[in-house]
Amino acid sequence: QVQLVESGGGLVQAGGSLRLTCAVSGNIFSIKAMGWYRQAPGKQRELVARDTTGSYTDYADSVKGRFTISRDDARNTVYLQMNNLKPEDTANYYCYGRIRVWYVDETDYWGQGTQVTVSS
């Protein structure tokens, strides 16, 4: 069983900052990738940032230069530092992990989501 638990969402004014945290727990063999997606009301879930272990990092064009993803592999934790937030960043943010547990192929796991609201 794998759990992804997010924290750090909230209400912030435009131009402000927030830091999201996602802690992964469970019977983990390896983590292929971790990242963040978001979904605004009436819209599809979209990639915000994703870090592939030992490889590359992807960012949505809309957040490049403002958001930074980082990982603490010793703690199986991923962070999303969000600076210069804009009202259009308002969404429910979901932690994502492509994880392999013992004796099981890689599987995509999701957190429960944390709400980020940016007021103008």
Side-chain angles (χ1 to χ4, degrees):
Q1 188 78 5
V2 174
Q3 285 190 318
L4 282 69
V5 179
E6 302 109 329
S7 60
L11 173 64
V12 64
Q13 288 188 330
S17 298
L18 283 174
R19 188 191 195 206
L20 304 183
T21 299
C22 174
V24 182
S25 62
N27 195 20
I28 299 166
F29 176 77
S30 63
I31 297 178
K32 176 69 172 179
M34 295 190 73
W36 295 90
Y37 287 70
R38 67 186 180 188
Q39 187 168 17
K43 295 187 177 182
Q44 289 188 331
R45 189 173 297 189
E46 63 175 2
L47 171 71
V48 177
R50 179 179 57 212
D51 180 79
T52 300
T53 303
S55 184
Y56 53 88
T57 300
D58 293 325
Y59 289 95
D61 288 342
S62 60
V63 307
K64 285 180 180 177
R66 300 189 298 122
F67 291 11
T68 303
I69 188 171
S70 60
R71 289 170 56 175
D72 183 343
D73 290 337
R75 299 183 178 185
N76 288 335
T77 300
V78 62
Y79 306 95
L80 185 68
Q81 178 66 43
M82 305 185 292
N83 297 328
N84 190 21
L85 282 159
K86 303 176 180 181
E88 51 264 42
D89 294 318
T90 295
N92 205 1
Y93 283 69
Y94 295 90
C95 179
Y96 157 85
R98 175 158 287 183
I99 299 168
R100 183 180 175 191
V101 300
W102 289 93
Y103 313 116
V104 180
D105 292 338
E106 290 176 355
T107 305
D108 292 340
Y109 294 89
W110 297 90
Q112 79 285 356
T114 185
Q115 179 67 34
V116 172
T117 303
V118 184
S119 62
S120 57

